[in-house]
Amino acid sequence: MATVLLVEDDPDQLDLRQQILEAAGHTVLPAKSPAEALAHPAADVAVVDLGLPTPADGTQLIQQLQ
């Protein structure tokens, strides 16, 4: 399966989404902030909360990950 970079600042949502992705067989690299996400090794796909803590943070992170 895929390695998924999961970026979510809400701890409950991060935990829930991580559980769902892992149950589907994926390896999850959880991150609570853009800085933490950028510190992770490369992933096959990224799931990014666009409202980190502002919408610009999520959009900027996607651009940086590309």
Side-chain angles (χ1 to χ4, degrees):
M1 289 305 207
T3 299
V4 179
L5 174 60
L6 176 60
V7 188
E8 173 62 64
D9 60 333
D10 180 316
D12 293 331
Q13 287 296 317
L14 181 65
D15 184 53
L16 176 64
R17 293 172 192 205
Q18 182 174 356
Q19 288 178 29
I20 292 168
L21 289 166
E22 288 176 343
H26 301 290
T27 300
V28 178
L29 305 172
K32 296 176 187 169
S33 69
E36 193 175 324
L38 292 170
H40 277 297
D44 299 317
V45 66
V47 177
V48 179
D49 176 9
L50 292 179
L52 289 170
T54 68
D57 289 340
T59 303
Q60 288 175 357
L61 176 60
I62 291 169
Q63 291 172 344
Q64 290 174 314
L65 290 171
Q66 291 177 335

